[in-house]
Amino acid sequence: MILVTGGTGLVGSHLLFKLISNNENVRAIYRREKTLQRVKHVFSYFSDDAETLFDKIKWVEADINDIPKLQDAFKGITHVYHCAAFVSFEPDKYKTLRKVNIKGTANIVNLCISYRVKKLCYVSSIAAIGHHSDPEKFIDEQTAWNPEDDNSVYAITKYGAELEVWRGTQEGLDAIIVNPGIILGAGYWNGGSSGNLFKQIYKGMRYYVNGVTGYVDVWDAVNTMHQLIESDIKNEKFILISENLSFKAFQTKTAKALNVKPPMKEAKQWLLNIAWRLDWLQFKLFSKRRSLSKQNSKSALSVTKYNNSKLKNALDFEFKPIDEVIVDVSKLYLKDLNTT
C-alpha cells in the first residue's frame, strides 16, 4: 500500500488521481475535512466519475507531528510520497516552518525506517538548492548550499528537511528527493499555491519583474515522482524544471491566455526595496501578515537558471512546454471562474 502525505495539496491531489487511476492501493493523510473537497474538485477536471475515484482513497486524519496517528497511517505501507509541507516566506513563521518541514519530515523518515518502507519520495524545492554568483551559470543538483547566504525561512527549512531524508538513507532507507520549481497546476487559486498567480494576473497586475526562475507542470512533477519511486534509482535528488522563464514572460503569457492586459510597468530594485520595508513596518505596527519579505524582493530580481538534464537522462523524460501548461491551467481557472 502507498501512503501520500499532504494529499489535499496541489501535488498531492494530482498524485492521488494518478495513483487511483492506476488502480493502486492508496492511503492519504489530511488535516482538515473541508480540504477534501479540493481533491474532489481536482478529480472532476479529469474524470466524469470523480466521486467514485475519490472514494477509493483510504483517508486518515492526522498531523505529521502526531506520532500515534501517524503510526496507524503507516501500518501495511510499502511506499511513501511525502508531499506535506508548510509554505510561507514570512520571517515570523520560522518556528512553524521548522516544526512542519523539518520535524515533520524527521517523523516521516523515522516511521519509514521503523515500518521498513521500501522507498520514500520527498518533495523538496529548488529553494533548497544552492546558487551561483554568476547568473548565467546553470544550477544543478551538485550546486552547494551556502548557509551564509541570505536564504528565505522557507528555503532554510526545506534544506533542513532534506538533511533528515539523507540521514534516513544512512540508516538504511531508500529515498528519492525531487526539487521542483514553481509548480503550475489548477484547483488551488488562493494562498501560497502558484494558482494564486493566475488569479492575481486575471485581476490585473500593474508591475512586472525581470527575475528568472524555473517552472514545471504539476503532471510532469507527478509523473516523474512516480517513475522514480518505481525505478531502481535510490538515494539521489533531481531538479524538476521544464523551462527557465522570466517573471515578466510568465506574467505576459498568462495574461494573454486569460485574455487580460499584462503588467506594463517594471518594478525596479529601488521600488521593491521600499515595498518590503513598508510591508515590514505594517507588520510591526498593525500585525498585518507579511506579503513581501526582503528575500522575496531579492528573488523577484535575481536570475536563477536550472539544469534539468539529470532527470531527463535518468528517465528519458521530456517535459511539457510551459506555454502549453499556462494555456491549460488558464482554461481551468476561467472555467472555475464562470461556475462560481
Side-chain angles (χ1 to χ4, degrees):
M1 179 177 280
I2 297 169
L3 177 66
V4 177
T5 73
T8 60
L10 176 64
V11 175
S13 60
H14 286 76
L15 174 62
L16 286 172
F17 183 85
K18 178 178 180 61
L19 295 174
I20 291 298
S21 299
N22 287 353
N23 294 315
E24 302 277 8
N25 197 9
V26 182
R27 187 179 295 154
I29 291 174
Y30 74 99
R31 289 195 305 121
R32 296 186 300 273
E33 189 170 353
K34 65 179 182 180
T35 60
L36 296 175
Q37 293 301 319
R38 298 180 192 168
V39 183
K40 290 183 182 179
H41 187 58
V42 168
F43 280 26
S44 71
Y45 291 144
F46 312 110
S47 173
D48 295 328
D49 202 14
E51 195 79 29
T52 300
L53 290 173
F54 178 87
D55 289 341
K56 291 181 179 180
I57 302 167
K58 298 173 178 64
W59 288 99
V60 176
E61 184 180 3
D63 186 284
I64 58 173
N65 282 298
D66 187 337
I67 303 299
K69 286 188 177 180
L70 281 180
Q71 288 174 328
D72 291 337
F74 264 82
K75 291 177 181 176
I77 294 299
T78 58
H79 295 79
V80 174
Y81 292 91
H82 180 30
C83 308
F86 180 49
V87 181
S88 176
F89 296 90
E90 301 172 70
D92 61 299
K93 297 292 193 296
Y94 182 58
K95 288 185 179 179
T96 304
L97 283 159
R98 285 192 63 88
K99 182 179 179 181
V100 176
N101 295 345
I102 300 179
K103 184 180 177 183
T105 299
N107 293 334
I108 297 298
V109 168
N110 292 340
L111 287 166
C112 283
I113 295 169
S114 297
Y115 284 82
R116 298 187 178 182
V117 167
K118 293 180 180 178
K119 202 169 186 180
L120 166 69
C121 177
Y122 172 57
V123 183
S124 184
S125 167
I126 54 170
I129 297 178
H131 295 86
H132 296 302
S133 57
D134 180 359
E136 294 306 314
K137 188 175 181 181
F138 278 74
I139 296 165
D140 61 24
E141 291 81 358
Q142 301 302 315
T143 304
W145 168 272
N146 183 359
E148 301 302 319
D149 281 347
D150 189 16
N151 299 299
S152 71
V153 287
Y154 174 68
I156 291 168
T157 58
K158 292 299 278 187
Y159 178 75
E162 287 192 12
L163 294 181
E164 292 295 338
V165 176
W166 295 133
R167 186 260 304 170
T169 64
Q170 296 300 308
E171 298 179 31
L173 174 65
D174 289 348
I176 288 292
I177 294 176
V178 293
N179 296 82
I182 296 178
I183 304 172
L184 303 179
Y188 295 78
W189 311 117
N190 298 309
S193 173
S194 64
N196 192 39
L197 294 172
F198 288 82
K199 182 178 179 180
Q200 290 180 31
I201 292 170
Y202 181 80
K203 287 186 172 181
M205 297 181 74
R206 294 177 60 193
Y207 294 95
Y208 65 84
V209 288
N210 282 315
V212 174
T213 192
Y215 296 80
V216 66
D217 177 30
V218 66
W219 286 115
D220 281 348
V222 163
N223 288 330
T224 52
M225 287 162 57
H226 184 254
Q227 289 184 43
L228 286 167
I229 211 168
E230 292 288 320
S231 74
D232 294 330
I233 301 169
K234 63 180 182 180
N235 305 343
E236 297 277 357
K237 67 186 294 181
F238 294 89
I239 290 173
L240 302 188
I241 289 297
S242 172
E243 297 173 34
N244 297 293
L245 198 65
S246 72
F247 294 115
K248 180 185 179 182
F250 173 78
Q251 290 170 292
T252 302
K253 291 173 185 289
T254 303
K256 180 180 179 181
L258 293 170
N259 197 28
V260 296
K261 291 182 178 180
M264 302 301 293
K265 296 182 178 180
E266 181 182 359
K268 296 184 180 295
Q269 185 171 354
W270 66 266
L271 183 61
L272 288 172
N273 287 341
I274 293 173
W276 76 256
R277 286 177 169 85
L278 288 174
D279 186 76
W280 173 84
L281 189 61
Q282 287 182 319
F283 168 74
K284 288 294 183 182
L285 294 178
F286 309 112
S287 298
K288 184 178 179 181
R289 285 192 61 178
R290 298 292 302 274
S291 59
L292 182 66
S293 68
K294 178 183 177 182
Q295 292 78 17
N296 284 144
S297 62
K298 179 182 175 183
S299 295
L301 298 173
S302 65
V303 176
T304 49
K305 298 179 180 180
Y306 296 89
N307 184 341
N308 64 6
S309 61
K310 181 179 178 181
L311 186 282
K312 291 176 70 174
N313 293 333
L315 298 180
D316 192 23
F317 188 86
E318 288 298 326
F319 288 94
K320 185 176 180 178
I322 291 300
D323 281 8
E324 294 180 20
V325 180
I326 289 173
V327 169
D328 290 347
V329 176
S330 296
K331 286 179 180 177
L332 292 175
Y333 176 76
L334 293 174
K335 178 182 177 182
D336 281 352
L337 197 65
N338 292 328
T339 55
T340 54

